[in-house]
Amino acid sequence: MDNVSSDKKDWAANLKYPMGWLKYFSGMMVDVRMENFVIIDLPEAKQYFDFCNYNWRFGIRGEHAGEDRLNDFRECLASRGFNLADIPEWHPEAVELVDSVQDMIKEVQFSRSTHEGMDNTSRIVKAVWPTLYEWMVQDNQEDKEPEENESGHDNSNWGDPDDVKQNSDRVVIKIEISRKSKEEDSEGKGKGKSDENEESNGGPSEKSDSEPKEDGNSTEEDDEPAESTEDEEKSNGESAAEGDKDSEDGNPDEPDFKGVLKAIAAELKSDEKVAEDEVGPYLSKLVDVEVDEARKDRTAYSEKVVLTPYHDHDLSAYLYLKKQVQRQIQPTASALKKLLEPTPDQKYSNQRSGRLNVTKVWSASIMDDPNVFNRHVKGTPAQDARILVLDDISGSTGLWATPGVSRIDAMKRAMVLLSEATEAAKIPTAVYAFTEDDYSLSDGKIVYPLTGSEDTKSIKKGTIIHPLKPYERLSNVEKGFIGALEPQNSNRDTLALQWAVDALKPYRESIRLLIVLSDGEPCFKAGEDENTMRSIVQQAQKQGIDVLCLFIGPEKSFPTVKKMYPGGAIFVSKNLVRDLTQQILQIIKRRRK
C-alpha cells in the first residue's frame, strides 16, 4: 500500500504505481516462487503445475499475442516465471523487456522468504515500469489496469509462520546442497582438464602461456571471462526442474503431457467410480416386478415399478424427530446386537427329564428324589442380519394416528429410530418409501413428479419407489430425504412388497428382514386382495426372508393387517422397541433351528 498511487506524476517519476499493476506483479510472483519451491521439494508436482499453467491458468495462452505490448509483457513475464515456452508471436519489444529482467525473475524464484521475494519483485517493477508507462502513454492505456482474478484471495488461509519457515528452510537447504554438489562437480571437471593439459605439455613443471607470470600479471586471455557451462548454470539453482527439455535458444519446449494425461485419465476413472457408487442408489430407473402367488387359481403377472429419488429434502425435520426418539435409539441398538450374539452351550442338572445321571440313581429310592436327569442345550453361533424398511406414504398417512400425531409423522419417527439404531448396531439397513402416482417418460428418462408440460400420451400410472437410505449410509443427504416425506397419492402394496422381497433375495445374511410401515389401507388392482399380500409374505419366508409390518393406523384395520402379515404384525401405538425386539427374537429362533 505504501507503493500505491493514483497520481500519474508518481507513475511518470517511477515512484509509485497503480494498484492493479502492483497486484499483478505481487500476486504473480508469489505464485512463481511458491510453485518453484513446491517443485524442488516434490518434483512429481511439476507435471501437474505445467499442465495447469499451459492449459488452464492463462486461458488460451498466446490467443491475442502481438496485439498489445502490455498484455504480451504480462504473459511473457508470467511464462518465464513458470518456466513455460515462449510464444513466437509475442511483440518483440515485450519479449526484450522481459529479457532485461530475466535474472531478477530467477532471483524471485529462489527467494528465501516471501518478504525477500517481494523485495526482488519491487526491483523488477522499478526496472520495467518506465518502459511500461511509456507504452501506456503511447497507446492511450494509462487508465487500463490488468484484470484481476474474480475469485481473489479473500478466502485464503495463511499458514502457521513456524510451519511455513520450516518448509521454506527445507527447500533452501535442498537448493544449497544442489548448488554445492554441482559446483564441486564443475571444479572436478576443471581440475581433470588441467591435469590432462599438464601431462600433454610434459608435466606440471612446464608453464603454459595461460598461467600467471611471475610479476603477477595475467595474459589478455586470462582477462576474458570463461564461458559458463550448463552445469555451472544449474549450480546457481536457476535451471528448469528436472525433466525439462530446452531448445537450442535455451527456451523450454512445451511438454506433450502424455504422462500426466494418462495419470489424470486414471484419476478421472477412479473419481467416476466413486461418483457412481455415491449416486448409483439414487439413479432413476424402471424395474420389472413379477408377482406369482403360486396358486392354481391365480396366474402370475409382471409390471414395472419406478425407482426415483424423493423430490424434497428437510434435514431439520429429521433432527427434530431424532430428538423425540433419542432415548430409544441406544436401547434398540443394544437389543438388536444382543439378539445377534452367539449363545453358549448350557448344561442343567437335577432335571425331571433328559439324560440320566447314574451317580444319583441310588437316591431315587432312598430319598425319593426324582430329579436325577441332566439336560444339555446346544448354543447357537453369532448371526448376521440385513434389514430393508419399506414405508407407505399414501394420502391416507396424512390422517391421525393418535391425537395430535399424524400417521406419516409416526412412521417417520419409526424410520429415524430404525435408521439410527441399526447404524449404531452396525446392521446394514436400507430405507425406501412407496406410493402410486403418475409419471412420464421423456427421451427414455423418467420424469417425476410431473411438471405439467408433459404430452398426455407419455403419462403413465405406476408404483413409485423412493430410495431414501442405501445400505451402510446415513449422511445428511439420507436424513434429509427421510425428514422431508409427506403423504402422496395411492398405494399398491402388492407390487411394492414384491419388489422389496426381490431386492433382499441376492443377499446371504442369516437374517434378512423386511419391515413394512403401513396404515393397513392398501389399494388393490383387479385380481388382488389381502390373500395376495399373505401369499407374497409366505413365499418370502420360504426363501429365508422374514416380513414384519409395523402397523400405524386405526385399530379396526389391525385384524386385516394380521391376515396379510401372518405372525408378523406389530401395533406401533404400544411399546415398539419391546415388541420389535421380541418379534425379531422369534425370527432368530426360527431361523436357528
Side-chain angles (χ1 to χ4, degrees):
M1 294 305 298
D2 292 340
N3 293 311
V4 173
S5 174
S6 58
D7 190 339
K8 294 180 181 178
K9 292 180 181 179
D10 290 335
W11 303 354
N14 199 15
L15 296 174
K16 295 188 177 183
Y17 315 95
M19 171 68 85
W21 276 95
L22 286 183
K23 281 188 174 183
Y24 166 76
F25 277 108
S26 59
M28 186 61 69
M29 289 302 155
V30 162
D31 288 354
V32 161
R33 174 181 174 270
M34 178 199 69
E35 288 194 14
N36 187 54
F37 270 39
V38 172
I39 289 169
I40 293 170
D41 202 27
L42 303 167
E44 64 273 16
K46 177 172 172 50
Q47 60 179 331
Y48 294 98
F49 278 134
D50 280 350
F51 181 78
C52 290
N53 287 334
Y54 274 108
N55 298 285
W56 169 79
R57 186 185 191 110
F58 301 96
I60 302 176
R61 201 172 66 101
E63 183 179 17
H64 300 288
E67 298 176 8
D68 183 342
R69 289 177 292 182
L70 293 170
N71 182 71
D72 284 357
F73 167 80
R74 290 194 298 269
E75 201 167 60
C76 183
L77 180 73
S79 296
R80 294 285 183 85
F82 295 119
N83 296 315
L84 308 182
D86 280 0
I87 302 292
E89 292 77 20
W90 281 332
H91 197 290
E93 292 181 25
V95 176
E96 184 180 350
L97 185 58
V98 174
D99 285 339
S100 70
V101 292
Q102 185 65 42
D103 290 342
M104 297 182 195
I105 296 172
K106 294 296 183 184
E107 289 173 356
V108 171
Q109 288 178 329
F110 291 90
S111 298
R112 290 173 174 267
S113 65
T114 305
H115 193 284
E116 182 182 320
M118 289 297 93
D119 286 343
N120 288 327
T121 302
S122 296
R123 292 174 55 220
I124 294 175
V125 175
K126 284 281 185 184
V128 302
W129 183 256
T131 305
L132 292 178
Y133 187 64
E134 183 182 341
W135 293 349
M136 292 179 198
V137 173
Q138 292 174 358
D139 300 340
N140 295 317
Q141 295 190 41
E142 293 173 85
D143 297 322
K144 184 178 179 182
E145 299 189 18
E147 294 181 5
E148 290 188 50
N149 185 342
E150 292 182 4
S151 62
H153 294 282
D154 294 339
N155 296 320
S156 297
N157 293 317
W158 290 92
D160 178 78
D162 292 336
D163 291 342
V164 172
K165 187 175 186 307
Q166 287 177 11
N167 291 330
S168 181
D169 288 347
R170 183 175 66 252
V171 176
V172 169
I173 290 170
K174 287 186 176 184
I175 294 171
E176 292 301 327
I177 291 174
S178 176
R179 285 177 176 173
K180 187 175 180 181
S181 173
K182 287 170 182 174
E183 285 172 0
E184 290 174 353
D185 288 346
S186 179
E187 289 174 4
K189 288 179 182 178
K191 184 177 179 181
K193 289 180 180 179
S194 175
D195 292 343
E196 188 179 332
N197 289 335
E198 288 176 358
E199 290 177 7
S200 64
N201 292 328
S205 60
E206 297 183 14
K207 295 181 180 179
S208 67
D209 292 339
S210 63
E211 288 185 69
K213 297 182 180 179
E214 291 180 2
D215 60 1
N217 296 326
S218 61
T219 64
E220 291 180 5
E221 207 171 309
D222 291 326
D223 292 334
E224 294 179 7
E227 292 183 6
S228 61
T229 65
E230 183 182 355
D231 285 340
E232 286 171 336
E233 290 176 1
K234 287 186 177 180
S235 71
N236 293 326
E238 297 174 356
S239 65
E242 186 179 349
D244 280 353
K245 294 181 180 179
D246 293 348
S247 57
E248 293 180 0
D249 60 1
N251 186 36
D253 292 331
E254 182 174 344
D256 60 14
F257 297 118
K258 288 180 181 177
V260 69
L261 287 172
K262 185 176 180 180
I264 289 174
E267 289 178 8
L268 285 174
K269 190 173 182 180
S270 175
D271 290 344
E272 285 172 1
K273 185 180 184 309
V274 171
E276 286 176 4
D277 292 343
E278 189 72 20
V279 179
Y282 295 114
L283 291 176
S284 296
K285 55 186 174 182
L286 290 172
V287 179
D288 284 312
V289 175
E290 182 180 283
V291 179
D292 185 359
E293 298 182 48
R295 291 166 57 181
K296 293 181 180 179
D297 57 333
R298 301 288 181 98
T299 57
Y301 55 93
S302 176
E303 291 191 33
K304 293 184 183 297
V305 301
V306 176
L307 261 70
T308 189
Y310 192 65
H311 47 273
D312 206 354
H313 199 267
D314 191 343
L315 177 60
S316 60
Y318 182 97
L319 297 177
Y320 175 73
L321 293 167
K322 183 179 176 181
K323 283 185 179 180
Q324 295 180 336
V325 299
Q326 187 68 55
R327 292 183 180 180
Q328 297 173 282
I329 293 174
Q330 195 53 49
T332 306
S334 299
L336 291 172
K337 283 195 289 187
K338 190 172 182 180
L339 290 174
L340 298 176
E341 290 175 354
T343 59
D345 291 353
Q346 298 288 339
K347 292 183 178 180
Y348 301 92
S349 58
N350 296 326
Q351 300 295 299
R352 291 182 176 273
S353 63
R355 183 177 296 176
L356 180 65
N357 186 346
V358 294
T359 62
K360 290 191 175 184
V361 171
W362 62 274
S363 64
S365 57
I366 298 173
M367 303 181 65
D368 195 23
D369 182 6
N371 299 318
V372 293
F373 294 98
N374 291 336
R375 187 158 58 90
H376 178 235
V377 178
K378 191 175 181 180
T380 57
Q383 303 291 298
D384 54 352
R386 181 173 296 268
I387 299 175
L388 190 152
V389 180
L390 184 65
D391 178 46
D392 168 18
I393 53 170
S394 60
S396 61
T397 60
L399 301 175
W400 298 114
T402 57
V405 179
S406 67
R407 298 176 190 177
I408 189 71
D409 284 341
M411 289 174 173
K412 286 162 66 173
R413 274 208 300 258
M415 276 186 280
V416 171
L417 174 60
L418 289 169
S419 297
E420 294 288 343
T422 55
E423 184 79 7
K426 296 187 177 359
I427 299 174
T429 301
V431 181
Y432 296 84
F434 74 97
T435 185
E436 189 87 0
D437 206 349
D438 291 333
Y439 69 95
S440 174
L441 290 176
S442 177
D443 295 329
K445 295 182 179 179
I446 298 167
V447 179
Y448 181 83
L450 298 182
T451 62
S453 61
E454 291 81 12
D455 178 2
T456 55
K457 293 181 180 179
S458 70
I459 297 176
K460 304 174 182 294
K461 190 174 189 65
T463 297
I464 312 292
I465 295 178
H466 299 296
L468 306 175
K469 176 195 174 302
Y471 291 113
E472 298 175 344
R473 276 164 59 176
L474 188 57
S475 70
N476 288 343
V477 173
E478 288 74 42
K479 293 175 181 179
F481 281 141
I482 295 173
L485 289 177
E486 294 293 341
Q488 300 299 307
N489 289 296
S490 58
N491 57 309
R492 188 179 172 192
D493 289 31
T494 51
L495 210 58
L497 180 64
Q498 185 64 65
W499 172 85
V501 171
D502 294 343
L504 273 172
K505 282 181 184 177
Y507 297 100
R508 288 293 173 260
E509 281 81 4
S510 54
I511 304 297
R512 288 174 292 169
L513 181 61
L514 170 56
I515 299 177
V516 181
L517 298 171
S518 174
D519 62 359
E521 298 181 11
C523 298
F524 296 121
K525 283 203 171 181
E528 296 178 342
D529 55 20
E530 291 86 355
N531 290 322
T532 307
M533 296 286 291
R534 183 182 183 90
S535 176
I536 295 172
V537 170
Q538 290 174 334
Q539 288 187 68
Q541 289 175 339
K542 292 177 182 178
Q543 295 165 338
I545 298 170
D546 290 281
V547 184
L548 295 181
C549 177
L550 302 186
F551 172 68
I552 302 171
E555 193 166 353
K556 63 179 181 180
S557 300
F558 192 50
T560 303
V561 172
K562 289 195 290 184
K563 179 181 178 181
M564 292 188 293
Y565 297 91
I570 300 174
F571 206 120
V572 173
S573 64
K574 300 177 182 177
N575 191 321
L576 174 60
V577 177
R578 182 197 64 202
D579 292 345
L580 180 62
T581 52
Q582 285 182 352
Q583 198 72 269
I584 294 175
L585 177 59
Q586 295 301 317
I587 292 170
I588 292 173
K589 286 181 177 180
R590 185 165 64 248
R591 293 297 175 197
R592 281 174 170 172
K593 290 181 180 179

